[in-house]
Amino acid sequence: MLLAMHDDTGDVAVAVPARMVNEVAYCPRLFYLEWVDRDFDDNHFTVEGRFVHRRVDDGEPTKPLAAPEEPWKARSVELSSAELGVTGKVDLVECDGGEVMPVETKRGKAPDVPEGAYEPELVQLCLYGLLLREAGYVVTRGAFWFAGSRTRVEVPFTDDLVARTKAAIALAKTVAQQKAPPPPLVASPKCIGCSLSGLCLPDETNLLAGVASAEAPRALLPARDDAQPLYVQEVGARVGVSGQCLQVKDTEGRQVLAAPLVDVSHLVVMGSVQVSTQALKELSSRGLPVAWLSTGGWLSGLLDGLGHGQVALRRAQYAAADDAGKALALARAFVSAKIGNARTMLRRNLEERAPGLLHELSQLVEKAETAESLEVLLGHEGNAARLYFEHFGSLLENDALGTFDFVQRNRRPPKDAVNALLSFCYSMLTKDLAVAARLVGFDPYLGFLHQPRVGRFSLALDVMEEFRPIVADSVVVSAINTKVVGPSDFIRRGVGVTLNAEGRKKMLRAWERRLSDKVTHPVFGYRVSYRRIFEMQCRLLARHLRGELPAYPAFRTR
């Protein structure tokens, strides 16, 4: 809820919601991420909280409060104060004997603490009391209703609690003016159960920033995301929405799939597929991107509604791209990680046969880390790619027809089956990194290694360099060697080779399996899926650009 007010100077200011004052009392960084950066994510606590509040949230618009002469109750009461610069919606207001009392509903059981509730909840309740006082009512106390224990706890609004509440309001206004989030809490139990822990990355940020902590990074975020992409590639198919589900129908109007929206991370449309206006509107309102790809997998567009509100992050991104030194440092990180991961890919399979090759790649990693210019860096990257693809064919098991003979990397169009698979997986990787970059708040078109070009997702191409060998190339090698794909899954068009519809289905399944695989993070030590790692890398890049981390920690597997 946003409310514009005029301050003492006549300037328009945005009122801070009472819920956000609660957040700043709990954790200033949480407040900043949620209120200033507009970052939010659900977990079971937030979903349960909304369920408990459903009667209030679905209530009728606020009516004028009755006179205090007779007892009365009012639900979902909206209040605001220009003097305090805050606004809020009280769950319940009760009046009896000429005094009114705000009542807040909380999920869970009443805590066994001296004041009857924790500080953030006390501050929020007291704030509602101050808003009611300013509206002309006598308010000396408030109450909580804890749904878990079905307990009512009354709280007196002492002078001390009022002072703490006003201090929290002042802190919220101060933190909201900062250019970067406050530092994370250090090894705090508050982070456990926080819905934004996967966005905040408190332990990870503290570790990379060199902040002392008594514990190794905790696995605060789920290892996998329950929501998955929905791929639609059937020619003439139509995607619509009905209730809480996306529906896919064939050319005859028959439903072939119904996917609950809560289980969809983004929609991927390949080729001649129609998406209804209603479905686009629903996806946009939920912040679920739609990726438009050709039948060959070429990413041609990305739709995500209003996009992300992180203007500060994009300003930092633009400033870094214009700073030759910062851009080069980031480009070095991307390329050196790519070469290092390519070396790991070969070492795991060819170590005894190619010791000289591994030594050359190690030297190229060192040269990439100290390259004096972007041109020199690209030269090292080209040399590493040449060495890598000279030996890539040795990783593949061929069939009797020689379908998967590999000589060299070629594209636009790929001229053999292996290159068709590589191009397809690189397109999927570009799509997934572009989606992750947009969700974090970046402009995916502006990169540091890859220079801007019309229609090119340069930042996604930058970050994906780290994952080309260990994700995309790995999927290709596995799909060929385990016979997931065969000669019948390809078609030749002119001088090029591409996957047919059945081949794309097989590769999409292989791709999603790989992204769902859990791997041990080489820095943080816990197990997490590659899809989660994609988003983590984008968030760590954001932390670096906004000054929280001294350097970008590129992902380099061991």
Side-chain angles (χ1 to χ4, degrees), residues 114-176:
E115 292 187 271
Y118 295 113
E119 181 71 3
E121 286 72 32
L122 292 171
V123 164
Q124 183 176 357
L125 183 65
C126 185
L127 177 53
Y128 290 142
L130 297 181
L131 291 172
L132 285 166
R133 284 181 183 179
E134 188 170 319
Y137 295 92
V138 177
V139 188
T140 63
R141 58 202 168 98
F144 292 107
W145 170 255
F146 290 96
S149 57
R150 301 188 64 80
T151 306
R152 185 179 173 110
V153 177
E154 291 195 0
V155 176
F157 294 154
T158 63
D159 291 342
D160 179 61
L161 179 55
V162 169
R164 283 148 47 197
T165 300
K166 291 182 177 179
I169 296 171
L171 177 61
K173 294 178 179 178
T174 299
V175 172

Side-chain angles (χ1 to χ4, degrees), residues 238-278:
R238 180 177 176 83
V239 181
V241 64
S242 178
Q244 300 298 308
C245 290
L246 285 180
Q247 291 184 331
V248 182
K249 296 182 179 181
D250 61 17
T251 54
E252 302 299 324
R254 294 170 298 199
Q255 180 175 306
V256 295
L257 177 69
L261 282 159
V262 295
D263 294 334
V264 176
S265 63
H266 59 280
L267 173 65
V268 184
V269 178
M270 306 183 72
S272 301
V273 175
Q274 301 296 316
V275 184
S276 72
T277 303
Q278 292 82 358

Side-chain angles (χ1 to χ4, degrees), residues 338-489:
K338 174 187 178 180
I339 299 173
N341 288 337
R343 181 185 182 279
T344 298
M345 181 76 173
L346 295 177
R347 176 178 57 79
R348 290 173 176 174
N349 298 277
L350 304 176
E351 183 169 10
E352 295 181 357
R353 288 179 283 171
L357 167 66
L358 299 181
H359 177 68
E360 286 186 79
L361 289 174
S362 293
Q363 289 185 317
L364 286 170
V365 170
E366 296 177 2
K367 291 178 180 179
E369 291 173 337
T370 57
E372 298 179 353
S373 69
L374 189 60
E375 292 73 22
V376 172
L377 179 64
L378 291 174
H380 297 323
E381 180 190 26
N383 287 335
R386 175 182 54 79
L387 290 171
Y388 174 73
F389 282 115
E390 281 178 359
H391 294 79
F392 185 75
S394 301
L395 307 178
L396 307 174
E397 296 179 8
N398 217 315
D399 58 273
L401 299 177
T403 304
F404 301 115
D405 281 336
F406 181 83
V407 178
Q408 63 180 4
R409 175 72 178 123
N410 57 68
R411 58 198 179 104
R412 296 182 183 175
K415 298 176 177 58
D416 55 72
V418 177
N419 276 290
L421 293 174
L422 288 170
S423 292
F424 183 82
C425 288
Y426 292 158
S427 291
M428 292 300 103
L429 188 56
T430 303
K431 179 266 297 180
D432 285 320
L433 265 300
V435 168
R438 287 287 279 266
L439 291 176
V440 170
F442 280 111
D443 178 350
Y445 292 97
L446 183 63
F448 305 97
L449 171 65
H450 294 83
Q451 297 305 296
R453 183 187 300 170
V454 175
R456 183 166 76 171
F457 293 99
S458 296
L459 184 68
L461 294 173
D462 280 1
V463 181
M464 70 179 274
E465 294 294 350
E466 309 163 34
F467 300 103
R468 284 181 186 263
I470 55 176
V471 176
D473 297 353
S474 177
V475 170
V476 172
V477 172
S478 177
I480 293 173
N481 291 351
T482 59
K483 297 180 172 53
V484 168
V485 290
S488 63
D489 294 312

